[in-house]
Amino acid sequence: MSFLYWLEGIRCPALDRFFSAVTYFGDEILFIVLALTVFWCVDKREGYYLFFIGFVGTIFNQFLKLAFRIARPWVKDPNFTIVESARAGAGGYSFPSGHTQNVVATLGGLARWNKNTALRIVCIVVAALTAFSRMYLGVHTPLDVGVSLVLALVLLFTFYPLVRWGSERPGRMYALLGGMTVLAVGFVLYANLWRFPADIDAVNLAEGRKNAWSLLGALLGFCLSYPLDIHYVNFKADNAHWWQQLLKVVLGLVLLLGIRAGLKALSAAVGFTALWSNAVRYFAIIVFAGLLWPMCFTRFLSKKEA
């Protein structure tokens, strides 16, 4: 932790504010916004690429958290201080860094797929600053960040040819989805059936189990949405005017986030608190994003004037 102690010593209000803002690039919401914007408006194949590396990366990230159960830096050393604004977004175990995983997978995926040099540079710089911010703020160690960085890079370069290969024929994409389903089911079984030590943090274990069910539900949503899209909807991401594209994103995200929050509130209101209910919620979210909303803008928002 010597590097963290050094960073603790150079903190100042201006840098605290800067890195507190930068760190939000690793938040789940940013991933949702960017991935869906690409999927709905730019290139469906690139959208699948971003979703797949994000999905598999999250499974590995959550598995490692439960397998190693490494405490946060300030838990290891009560005398170590963090930037307090970062505490709310630093729940669960420390190793590896979820924010680093998210930002490198998302922005790195954009940089890998897109050939625009300026965009690539911006994505790489922002991803690097976000990863560094987790250490500056004191919520992760260099090991946490480094492992997530390497894992995300491996997935970026592994899935790039796989998604291009899979998009050539539906059968190949089904094989990819099948492989990821095996991973998702395996993680659910591990999180819920493995005999963890009696002293494991109950809150962190519950969070891992909830995430396992959420990931499985999301993947099953993909398994339904993908074949129905290619056989019946077959929407074209770039077939719309600029204002139509903006409407796709803004209205689509408002509806999706509303569904996400509404289903969570409904489950709580009716006392439906079983962990597997998270699978139902994320299944519905992905079906909306990958099938129902594209059906709407295919019908109303996908006609360019000649």
Side-chain angles (χ1 to χ4, degrees), residues 100-142:
T100 301
Q101 171 70 44
N102 285 338
V103 74
V104 175
T106 306
L107 298 184
L110 290 175
R112 180 66 184 91
W113 195 279
N114 199 285
K115 305 304 180 185
N116 185 292
T117 302
L119 177 63
R120 284 181 162 182
I121 292 173
V122 170
C123 287
I124 292 170
V125 170
V126 172
L129 285 172
T130 305
F132 180 78
S133 75
R134 305 307 290 168
M135 295 181 289
Y136 175 87
L137 296 172
V139 296
H140 281 294
T141 67

Side-chain angles (χ1 to χ4, degrees), residues 33-113:
V33 171
L34 288 179
L36 287 178
T37 299
V38 170
F39 182 69
W40 287 337
C41 302
V42 181
D43 186 325
K44 279 200 296 185
R45 187 169 61 174
E46 185 176 356
Y48 280 121
Y49 173 60
L50 294 177
F51 278 115
F52 289 174
I53 57 178
F55 172 82
V56 175
T58 302
I59 285 184
F60 282 122
N61 187 279
Q62 292 296 311
F63 169 77
L64 291 173
K65 283 183 181 292
L66 290 181
F68 288 92
R69 301 182 296 280
I70 297 177
R72 294 281 177 172
W74 67 87
V75 177
K76 291 181 180 179
D77 181 1
N79 294 319
F80 177 74
T81 61
I82 69 171
V83 177
E84 282 301 320
S85 62
R87 189 181 295 273
Y93 289 114
S94 185
F95 174 84
S97 168
H99 278 69
T100 301
Q101 171 70 44
N102 285 338
V103 74
V104 175
T106 306
L107 298 184
L110 290 175
R112 180 66 184 91
W113 195 279

